[in-house]
Amino acid sequence: MAEYGRLPERDRAVAVDIRNPAFEGYGLRDLSGHRKKVNAVAWNCDGRRLASGAADRSIRVWTVEPHCPVAKSERADAEYSSHSDAVTYIEWRPDHPDVLASCSNSKTDTNIRFHDARTNKQTAAVPLSNEKNQVLSWSLDGVSLVVSCSSDELVFIDTRKMRKQRQWGLSGHTKLSEVRWGPTQGHLTMALDDGTVRIAPLAKLDSPIWRLNSHASHTTCLAYSRDYKYLASGGSDALVSLWEMEEMICLRTYSRPDQSVRTLSFSHDANWLAYCSEDGYGTIDVVSTQTGDLASTLNLKSYCETVAWCPSAPVLAFAGDETKEGYGAVSIWAPPKATS
């Protein structure tokens, strides 16, 4: 088995409890550079670049070799400082490895910003209303972007003309917490505070085709597997529900967290699901989608805001609040490089 280099001489941000031989030999390394809490991480579609957005108003783009030794120093290839407030959400275009969209959950910075990693520049900024922008999701063909706002409205952006297409508001007293494009080009999936997940056609968002009763209380987050075979939802009831999309049935639930589930992500082959809860400072569990077994636990010393599996390798990125260390760190949980 390959050996890792020496870890940094500081208190590590995470302790890993390896419980499954499938993860034997995995290690950790940090990507340092942000000066404040990291709110979002996201891989591009080919898994070669990792972007991070933070409270220091910057976006950093890293070219990451997932199988490098832990001791290898990392440096951001680019830093974008176009936002005037904290960067809270980032999303790469699903069909283009160089195009990135971002937003700030701030009434003073309401532009949806687009960057191109080839030129390391902002390419467009689409102004929205004075509502806070919370979640972004690209259409499967990369032509449109949907933005979830704090007013429980969805704004659709045409990324060819870089302007708003239309706006839709949720009726009644139900609140919208997250939206994901899918499972097809013509559908949106919405997480609501009544514990349901609704999947509706774009033409009739008020008339969902499926209404999944996923949670006893607020549905907080959503994730699709890359092939859209599975849908996972997290809730404030400390449950994660795993749905099989072809039959539209709930395969199983995971209930280890003691607090609300904050974020979740599928591995590239959909065999593993990682999710983070708010118990203690934060705990990331990695579970099998096939057996339901808990494979590994990462006990964090700071709150985890976001987790993201690489789309081309069994590598997990996560980040959160590292204020005690005086900076925001992005962590990579990755296997060692095989020795020849």
Side-chain angles (χ1 to χ4, degrees):
M1 181 184 298
E3 292 186 357
Y4 288 105
R6 187 175 179 81
L7 294 179
E9 293 295 337
R10 67 175 179 85
D11 205 9
R12 289 295 298 161
V14 60
V16 184
D17 175 18
I18 303 299
R19 303 187 182 190
N20 190 302
F23 292 104
E24 185 178 359
Y26 273 56
L28 284 153
R29 73 178 186 270
D30 288 343
L31 310 179
S32 303
H34 286 291
R35 295 172 293 279
K36 293 183 180 180
K37 181 178 72 169
V38 179
N39 296 313
V41 293
W43 298 89
N44 71 343
C45 60
D46 63 14
R48 294 180 181 275
R49 289 191 180 103
L50 177 69
S52 55
D56 61 6
R57 306 180 182 181
S58 73
I59 298 170
R60 287 177 176 260
V61 176
W62 320 78
T63 300
V64 179
E65 166 54 59
H67 300 277
C68 285
V70 173
K72 179 183 181 296
S73 60
E74 298 287 354
R75 165 182 76 80
D77 294 325
E79 180 178 359
Y80 310 134
S81 301
S82 52
H83 282 277
S84 60
D85 211 329
V87 181
T88 53
Y89 206 89
I90 52 180
E91 188 91 353
W92 291 89
R93 180 167 166 161
D95 64 336
H96 200 303
D98 300 310
V99 178
L100 175 71
S102 61
C103 70
S104 175
N105 186 6
S106 168
K107 286 188 175 182
T108 61
D109 184 3
T110 61
N111 288 340
I112 306 302
R113 302 181 187 274
F114 297 84
H115 297 85
D116 193 315
R118 294 167 296 186
T119 61
N120 292 334
K121 294 180 180 179
Q122 175 178 297
T123 56
V126 179
L128 299 187
S129 65
N130 61 352
E131 295 294 334
K132 296 179 180 180
N133 302 315
Q134 297 176 313
V135 178
L136 309 175
S137 184
W138 287 88
S139 61
L140 277 60
D141 61 5
V143 171
S144 300
L145 185 78
V146 63
V147 183
S148 171
C149 304
S150 59
S151 59
D152 297 311
E153 291 184 323
L154 299 179
V155 178
F156 294 84
I157 296 174
D158 183 340
T159 63
R160 295 165 298 187
K161 299 178 180 179
M162 287 299 171
R163 66 184 186 188
K164 292 193 295 184
Q165 287 178 306
R166 65 183 178 118
Q167 195 162 327
W168 175 82
L170 189 67
S171 59
H173 300 289
T174 307
K175 300 295 182 180
L176 178 69
S177 58
E178 188 160 349
V179 60
R180 307 306 303 171
W181 211 296
T184 72
Q185 174 69 23
H187 293 87
L188 280 187
T189 302
M190 295 171 281
L192 304 175
D193 70 347
D194 61 0
T196 65
V197 175
R198 300 181 190 179
I199 302 174
L202 289 174
K204 295 183 178 181
L205 291 174
D206 287 314
S207 303
I209 300 173
W210 295 284
R211 191 187 303 263
L212 312 179
N213 296 314
S214 282
H215 301 280
S217 55
H218 189 184
T219 305
T220 55
C221 50
L222 297 170
Y224 273 109
S225 60
R226 283 178 60 80
D227 58 5
Y228 291 89
K229 180 180 179 180
Y230 298 116
L231 168 67
S233 66
S236 59
D237 56 359
L239 290 177
V240 173
S241 298
L242 177 66
W243 294 83
E244 196 276 323
M245 297 303 294
E246 184 175 352
E247 299 293 335
M248 205 58 70
I249 58 173
C250 184
L251 295 178
R252 60 181 55 89
T253 59
Y254 307 95
S255 59
R256 186 177 181 278
D258 297 321
Q259 299 292 333
S260 177
V261 180
R262 300 169 66 90
T263 177
L264 34 74
S265 177
F266 283 97
S267 63
H268 70 294
D269 56 7
N271 288 332
W272 308 102
L273 176 67
Y275 54 88
C276 181
S277 65
E278 295 177 346
D279 54 317
Y281 280 107
T283 300
I284 298 175
D285 283 345
V286 179
V287 294
S288 169
T289 58
Q290 307 304 311
T291 67
D293 293 338
L294 177 67
S296 188
T297 299
L298 290 80
N299 298 307
L300 312 182
K301 291 188 176 181
S302 60
Y303 286 107
C304 178
E305 296 288 343
T306 177
V307 297
W309 282 101
C310 176
S312 60
V315 177
L316 183 70
F318 59 93
D321 191 357
E322 280 277 346
T323 54
K324 292 183 180 180
E325 299 290 346
Y327 70 94
V330 178
S331 295
I332 303 287
W333 186 46
K337 187 176 181 180
T339 56
S340 56

